[in-house]
């Protein structure tokens, strides 16, 4: 099992930036799928961006070019740099990991995941509010 703790959420105006952090209890040096998900009010939880066991990244179409996922293995920390935020990005953002997901499943999490299924371990979430 892995424990995940997110931080960095807050309120920002449209066009602004935020960086989320997720500290993991296991090394982030590879070996498992880890990424960011979000849930807007009244909506299903969806994938945002992931890093797979090989270090490859996948993004949801709506955030490509605006969000960047990265990791600092020395700190066991995953980041999500969010630029050019808009009100549609308002959501609770969660860090999650699947210790057994192959690269194809990991990429699917980012592109098509919806709901609460899958073999994912979740953090507690951090709230991002983008005002117009």
């Amino acid at each position: 099992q892995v424990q995940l703790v997110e931080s960095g959420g807050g309120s920002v105006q449209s066009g602004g930036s935020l960086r989320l952090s997720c500290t993991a209890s296991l090394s982030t040096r590879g070996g498992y799928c880890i990424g960011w998900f979000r849930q807007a009010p009244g909506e299903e939880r969806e994938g945002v961006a992931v890093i797979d066991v090989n270090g490859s990244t996948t993004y949801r179409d709506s955030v490509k070019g605006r969000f960047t996922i990265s990791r600092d293995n020395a700190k066991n920390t995953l980041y999500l740099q969010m630029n050019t935020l808009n009100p549609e990005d308002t959501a609770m953002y969660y860090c999650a990991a699947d210790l057994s997901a192959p690269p194809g499943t990991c990429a699917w999490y980012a592109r098509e995941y919806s709901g609460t299924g899958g073999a994912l371990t979740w953090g507690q979430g951090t709230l991002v509010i983008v005002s117009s």
Side-chain angles (χ1 to χ4, degrees):
Q1 276 286 18
V2 58
Q3 294 180 327
L4 305 164
V5 179
E6 304 97 329
S7 61
S11 295
V12 64
Q13 289 192 325
S14 185
S17 299
L18 281 174
R19 188 178 78 159
L20 307 183
S21 300
C22 169
T23 301
S25 60
L26 294 178
S27 172
T28 56
R29 197 176 296 278
Y32 60 95
C33 168
I34 188 168
W36 291 96
F37 297 72
R38 67 185 181 185
Q39 187 168 15
E43 302 291 333
E44 294 284 336
R45 194 170 299 186
E46 65 182 18
V48 175
V50 298
I51 296 178
D52 71 17
V53 296
N54 298 319
S56 297
T57 58
T58 304
Y59 296 89
R60 191 173 195 83
D61 283 349
S62 61
V63 307
K64 284 181 181 177
R66 300 189 299 124
F67 290 11
T68 302
I69 189 171
S70 63
R71 63 189 180 190
D72 183 337
N73 295 328
K75 297 180 180 179
N76 289 348
T77 300
L78 184 75
Y79 299 102
L80 185 68
Q81 178 66 44
M82 305 186 294
N83 298 328
T84 319
L85 285 161
N86 59 61
E88 289 69 40
D89 296 314
T90 293
M92 185 71 81
Y93 282 72
Y94 298 89
C95 179
D98 183 334
L99 302 186
S100 61
T105 300
C106 196
W108 176 84
Y109 279 136
R111 288 197 295 258
E112 299 185 44
Y113 178 86
S114 179
T116 58
L120 291 159
T121 299
W122 299 93
Q124 84 287 352
T126 186
L127 181 62
V128 172
I129 299 173
V130 184
S131 57
S132 58

